[in-house]
Amino acid sequence: MIKNPIVAPSLLAADFLRLEEEIEFINSSHADWLHLDIMDGRFVPNISFGMMVVEAASRVCRKTLDVHLMIVEPEKYVEEFAKAGAQNITVHAETCSHLHRNIQQIKALGCHAGVAINPHTPVGILEHVIEELDLVLIMSVNPGFGGQKFIFETLNKIRQTRQMIQNRNSKALIEIDGGVGLQNAEKIMEAGADVLVAGSSVFKSKNPADTINKLKSIGNLPKYDV
Ligand code: DX5
Ligand code: ZN
């Protein structure tokens, strides 16, 4: 029996002209977290939004604010994101020369600390920090854009990370981000994930509330092919 995922809709796929309504919808849904994608046009080839939007969202949002920093030199900005209301702050291993220090910095601000890895980055990069982590975010697309196709190899990375977490007795949750939807969520959970980020598959679906409900109860659904 697969456990129920933590479901984290990504605001990137929402209608930014109706942000308050979109966040109120998340409040009223069975979603657990609101995922906020910060892109700088340097680490990733796209620019999204910054701490002003996180702060505005925090005034309305009653779900956990899960901030994913796709930016270079994240250490310069984590304090501002914490002040803006971020509860989870995830930095990319590829952007941190001092990853251990960056994790301590996030925890000292009273936030849950996460590390994200790109599709090509080996899970082994986390080996010496896994006990320090609250979250491991495994990118299942190359970061920068919503609506991309799930990279199947991610399933092996989830299994490897689950093994590492068990071996080291870490309490880190495994979060999967990119191309996640009803067609592959069950396989992702079977591989050992805890948290599903879902942008397009929630906000662009005909009935977003129903899609969130189906993602939440993924263990009870009929099987789908990836
Ligand atoms: C991609 C972002 C994702 C994005 C996911 O770089 O990190 O969080 O919003 O969007 P979908 O679910 O549409 O792939
Ligand atoms: Zn993300």
Side-chain angles (χ1 to χ4, degrees), residues 10 12 35-39 66 68 70 92 137 139 143 175 177-178 197:
S10 169
L12 197 64
H35 185 81
L36 298 160
D37 287 305
I38 314 300
M39 302 179 183
D66 181 46
H68 177 192
M70 285 162 276
H92 266 263
L137 189 157
M139 286 306 310
E175 180 171 11
D177 188 5
V197 176

Side-chain angles (χ1 to χ4, degrees), residues 17 19 30 32 43 62 74 79 84 99 109 113 118 136 142 150 171 175-176 186 200 203 207 212 224:
L17 203 55
L19 263 197
H30 288 112
D32 303 278
F43 176 59
R62 295 193 298 276
E79 188 171 348
L99 188 57
L109 291 163
N118 279 343
V136 172
N142 287 295
F150 181 83
K171 61 178 182 340
E175 180 171 11
I176 309 306
E186 189 174 3
S200 320
F203 283 102
N207 187 339
I212 291 172
Y224 288 86

Side-chain angles (χ1 to χ4, degrees), residues 7-176:
V7 174
S10 169
L11 197 67
L12 197 64
D15 179 356
F16 273 64
L17 203 55
R18 299 169 41 249
L19 263 197
E20 186 169 356
E21 254 176 80
E22 297 279 57
I23 297 170
E24 286 294 8
F25 155 68
I26 296 297
N27 285 339
S28 70
S29 77
H30 288 112
D32 303 278
W33 297 354
L34 180 63
H35 185 81
L36 298 160
D37 287 305
I38 314 300
M39 302 179 183
D40 66 353
R42 292 186 64 206
F43 176 59
V44 291
N46 194 9
I47 297 175
S48 59
F49 53 86
M51 40 290 249
M52 271 177 67
V53 171
V54 177
E55 191 278 326
S58 78
R59 282 186 264 134
V60 184
C61 191
R62 295 193 298 276
K63 309 283 177 157
T64 297
L65 287 185
D66 181 46
V67 172
H68 177 192
L69 296 181
M70 285 162 276
I71 63 175
V72 297
E73 301 180 311
E75 67 280 1
K76 287 187 180 170
Y77 304 101
V78 288
E79 188 171 348
E80 281 187 72
F81 281 106
K83 281 188 187 147
Q87 286 150 289
N88 303 336
I89 299 184
T90 295
V91 294
H92 266 263
E94 300 86 359
T95 64
C96 295
S97 312
H98 302 279
L99 188 57
H100 186 277
R101 177 183 285 152
N102 300 140
I103 294 163
Q104 306 311 323
Q105 183 193 17
I106 294 168
K107 295 207 302 197
L109 291 163
C111 298
H112 291 123
V115 171
I117 53 172
N118 279 343
H120 77 283
T121 302
V123 166
I125 200 167
L126 303 171
E127 195 174 345
H128 301 288
V129 291
I130 194 78
E131 285 138 326
E132 306 291 325
L133 289 178
D134 299 300
L135 270 177
V136 172
L137 189 157
I138 301 177
M139 286 306 310
S140 39
V141 298
N142 287 295
F145 304 94
Q148 302 182 81
K149 193 173 177 292
F150 181 83
I151 297 170
F152 198 76
E153 169 61 14
T154 308
L155 295 177
N156 286 328
K157 293 179 77 176
I158 299 171
R159 291 185 198 105
Q160 284 176 22
T161 309
R162 175 57 58 205
Q163 196 66 56
M164 186 191 289
I165 285 172
Q166 268 163 13
N167 293 348
R168 303 289 289 275
N169 219 1
S170 162
K171 61 178 182 340
L173 297 175
I174 301 178
E175 180 171 11
I176 309 306

